[in-house]
Amino acid sequence: MRQLKTEYVNRNPASTMMKIFFFAVLLILLPLPLILFAALCNRAEIRRRGIRQTTKDIAQATVSAGISLIIAICTRPFTFLCNLPLIRKNGNSTPILMTHGLYHNKAAWLVMRYRLNLAGFSNLHAWEYNSFTTSYPELVLELRDIISKLHLESGEKVILIGHSLGGLLSCGSAQNPEMEKMCAGIITLGTPYRGSELAAIAIGRLGRSLHPQSSLFNGNNKIGYPRIISKTAIISPTDELVLPWSNLEPVANAWNIKRTRALGHVAMLYSRQVGNMVVEAIRKIQNT
């Protein structure tokens, strides 16, 4: 006897839409525990700012962190897009080298790369490293090789842009006096200049080395900073991964500090406001 094959047809598109909606809401709310933990770690700072304003900022940061998580997950496989040709409309040849943060890859820069290209910058490079099989000193040496290569190829000084750990790597690579001569300036986004308490539960030695008590931030071999070139730190008031928030403040002098609206840690990469701040900082470096 021939068996009849039945095919399931979804006759309730409203139900499907509801499932998609709740799944999206779930992803957006995933960072909420981190945001709440960040609030606990910054109780004194919250009292100083005011409960009402901080509550509003935390709600805004939670949404931005959740949305950015979705973007980061969806774009992660598309690193090849960072190799697409760029628009060249004003002959600006300044080499710009972008370094991502812990556990990310160079796809982190897809949106920022697009914004910078629209602003007229076309010599853009994104460096990628493995967050699980290396250490901070090894990465600094690799980054120095890339800076040297870009400087030699272009004949111009390189502008370094780093997100989170990428900011620390940029600082460490340019700290050497010879390397500093090859760099025009540094721009960092959400960089843990004094480490982060969350590094205690990080996976891998590179992640754990970001704890405030590690040798990167203490002792004779702690991270150094370039002295002469322009340095800009862009900071969100409610970062959920760099704890406490005071650790976002550069430890060295002569930094230009720019504060954004309330944004999640990864959301800084996709923010139009942050993109405009980066463009402004680049132009300021070029005009110095």
Side-chain angles (χ1 to χ4, degrees), residues 11 22 24 74 115 125 143 147 162 167 177 207 214 235 244 274 283 286:
R11 300 184 184 279
F22 283 120
C74 292
R115 296 191 193 283
H125 306 267
L143 188 53
I147 293 170
S214 82
I235 298 171
V274 174
R283 288 176 175 158
Q286 291 179 323

Side-chain angles (χ1 to χ4, degrees), residues 64-264:
S64 73
I67 293 173
S68 67
L69 175 63
I70 297 173
I71 296 173
I73 292 172
C74 292
T75 58
R76 188 176 180 85
F78 299 102
T79 55
F80 66 90
L81 294 177
C82 289
N83 300 321
L84 292 178
L86 295 165
I87 301 170
R88 301 179 184 274
K89 61 181 180 180
N90 65 358
N92 194 312
S93 59
T94 301
I96 298 173
L97 178 58
M98 300 174 287
T99 303
H100 62 80
L102 187 71
Y103 306 140
H104 215 150
N105 62 16
K106 64 182 180 180
W109 297 108
L110 286 176
V111 174
M112 184 67 71
R113 183 177 186 265
Y114 172 75
R115 296 191 193 283
L116 294 182
N117 193 210
L118 284 184
F121 306 106
S122 57
N123 195 359
L124 304 174
H125 306 267
W127 176 51
E128 182 173 298
Y129 59 88
N130 190 312
S131 298
F132 301 99
T133 60
T134 189
S135 65
Y136 179 86
E138 293 171 306
L139 292 177
V140 165
L141 293 177
E142 287 185 36
L143 188 53
R144 285 178 178 174
D145 287 340
I146 297 172
I147 293 170
S148 298
K149 181 180 178 182
L150 290 177
H151 175 64
L152 183 63
E153 290 176 349
S154 66
E156 298 189 39
K157 293 185 177 182
V158 182
I159 295 176
L160 306 177
I161 304 177
H163 174 245
S164 193
L165 171 60
L168 292 179
L169 291 169
S170 298
C171 290
S173 64
Q175 181 267 336
N176 181 291
E178 290 302 314
M179 294 303 305
E180 188 169 4
K181 295 177 183 178
M182 303 180 192
C183 300
I186 293 177
I187 304 165
T188 67
L189 318 176
T191 292
Y193 287 102
R194 297 179 176 88
S196 174
E197 295 292 344
L198 279 180
I201 59 173
I203 301 173
R205 60 173 176 165
L206 181 60
R208 291 191 295 272
S209 72
L210 295 177
H211 192 273
Q213 300 304 317
S214 82
S215 60
L216 291 186
F217 309 103
N218 301 278
N220 296 329
N221 296 321
K222 64 182 179 181
I223 297 172
Y225 301 93
R227 298 181 179 181
I228 301 173
I229 61 176
S230 172
K231 301 179 286 293
T232 299
I234 301 176
I235 298 171
S236 166
T238 49
D239 195 300
E240 80 278 16
L241 295 183
V242 180
L243 305 175
W245 294 328
S246 58
N247 287 9
L248 291 160
E249 300 278 352
V251 296
N253 296 324
W255 279 81
N256 301 310
I257 298 179
K258 304 289 185 180
R259 301 188 187 277
T260 70
R261 62 183 178 86
L263 289 169

